[in-house]
Amino acid sequence: MEITHEKQDNLDVLKLSGRFDAACSKDFKKVIGALSDANSSRIVIDMSAVDFIDSSGLGCLVGALRTVNNLGGDIKICSLRPQIRAIFELTRLHRVFAIFNDRAAAEKSFQN
Amino acid sequence: MEKLKVVNTECHGLDPVGTIQFIIASRIQDVRLIGLAVNKLCSFHGFSEMDAFGIELCVVEAVTNAIEHAYGCELGHQVRVILNLHPDRAEIEVRDQGSPMDASLLEEAGCAKLDCVPDDVELLSVRGRGLSIMKEMMDAVSYLQDGEENCLVLTKKLRSPPEAESAASAGQDE
């Protein structure tokens, strides 16, 4: 999985692409750890280019949410493909994460 | 470098049965190779895109569990995956020779477990969704010890196209 980090004025956007599985969980945790160390706690995760996610990937997202919540921030997820959204719904994690149809809506939600 | 080994291929078409066996080393990076292959073969067999994706996901979960839990992420072991394509279903055996799984975990897994979503994210489990995903996505999941091997068997019925379409649209309506 490729992780692209874009720093904006008051938030960080992570664009993920490829497969989000156990093989890339270390890389993802490293990126979240670096953001946490920098006290970045407003994060948008753009998953428009993620074509596969398993329970390891979902677990990484839950771990990241815990980390960011402890800093007083939040993670907003956007642009899930139908198959990926189905996995969020199956595991009920759509009740845990704020999920938006597109990146602009996710970014805007931090302004509210 | 040989990452994935196809040790036996019997191509009989769709009728009566096609069987293929994959063996990977216990490297988490190689799990996706089996997942991708199984997805393609199930699509070829007539499964819908969503069902083939679900089968891929369940196979990835099962092989990952074998590497992480049965072998404790130790290198130097093997995981065997046997895909049996029957006219009416796919049956996948995931076999390892590591520590056996506590069978009660499979009994406890499923919808009720997934429904337990605490309000406090701190109490939300980071791990442990794999078996529940398998039980929810497949028509049957069973676990047995076969000699020195542990074997998880995943079964998915092949739905007729109208049935698959209506299931897909019902999923979108929810």
Side-chain angles (χ1 to χ4, degrees), chain B residues 37-104:
Chain B
V38 167
N39 184 328
K40 279 283 177 199
L41 288 164
C42 287
S43 293
F44 167 76
H45 194 53
F47 282 97
S48 68
E49 196 180 336
M50 189 64 210
D51 281 352
F53 177 85
I55 295 168
E56 175 185 357
L57 174 57
C58 294
V59 169
V60 166
E61 295 291 351
V63 177
T64 301
N65 278 353
I67 294 172
E68 290 186 343
H69 302 299
Y71 293 133
C73 294
E74 252 184 34
L75 296 174
H77 303 283
Q78 289 187 337
V79 182
R80 277 201 307 146
V81 174
I82 301 162
L83 170 62
N84 297 303
L85 293 170
H86 297 272
D88 62 340
R89 69 191 188 282
E91 193 180 79
I92 303 115
E93 298 169 32
V94 178
R95 293 177 169 268
D96 68 73
Q97 294 187 313
S99 305
M101 178 177 77
D102 177 355
S104 68

Side-chain angles (χ1 to χ4, degrees), chain B residues 5-34:
Chain B
K5 190 176 179 187
V6 180
V7 294
N8 182 24
T9 315
E10 294 176 28
C11 185
H12 299 307
L14 303 185
D15 191 19
V17 171
T19 296
I20 186 166
Q21 179 177 224
F22 303 95
I23 297 177
I24 60 163
S26 51
R27 269 172 38 95
I28 213 77
Q29 290 84 353
D30 292 350
V31 176
R32 62 186 58 183
L33 299 175
I34 289 185

Side-chain angles (χ1 to χ4, degrees), chain B residues 87-139:
Chain B
D88 62 340
R89 69 191 188 282
E91 193 180 79
I92 303 115
E93 298 169 32
V94 178
R95 293 177 169 268
D96 68 73
Q97 294 187 313
S99 305
M101 178 177 77
D102 177 355
S104 68
L105 293 174
L106 184 57
E107 284 166 29
E108 290 160 11
C111 187
K113 193 170 178 194
L114 291 170
D115 272 333
C116 291
V117 179
D119 291 334
D120 183 355
V121 176
E122 283 297 318
L123 301 176
L124 188 61
S125 176
V126 171
R127 302 180 66 90
R129 292 181 180 81
L131 284 172
S132 294
I133 288 173
M134 286 183 241
K135 275 183 89 171
E136 288 303 298
M137 297 202 89
M138 303 301 286
D139 291 304

Side-chain angles (χ1 to χ4, degrees), chain A residues 1 19 21-24 29 51-56 58-60 62-63 65-67 69-70 82-84 86-87 89-93 95-97, chain B residues 28-29 31-32 35-36 49-50 53 56-57 60-61 64 68 111-112 114-115 117-118 121-127 129-130 132-133 136-137 171 174:
Chain A
M1 180 174 72
R19 295 172 69 90
D21 57 19
C24 50
K29 286 174 188 168
D51 55 17
F52 181 88
I53 190 165
D54 66 3
S55 63
S56 302
L58 294 170
C60 283
V62 171
L65 185 62
R66 278 191 194 173
T67 302
N69 278 179
N70 285 334
Q83 290 168 337
I84 306 298
I87 304 307
E89 290 175 3
L90 179 82
T91 53
R92 319 301 192 256
L93 290 179
R95 296 187 203 154
V96 174
F97 289 95
Chain B
I28 213 77
Q29 290 84 353
V31 176
R32 62 186 58 183
L36 290 163
E49 196 180 336
M50 189 64 210
F53 177 85
E56 175 185 357
L57 174 57
V60 166
E61 295 291 351
T64 301
E68 290 186 343
C111 187
L114 291 170
D115 272 333
V117 179
V121 176
E122 283 297 318
L123 301 176
L124 188 61
S125 176
V126 171
R127 302 180 66 90
R129 292 181 180 81
S132 294
I133 288 173
E136 288 303 298
M137 297 202 89
E174 283 169 6

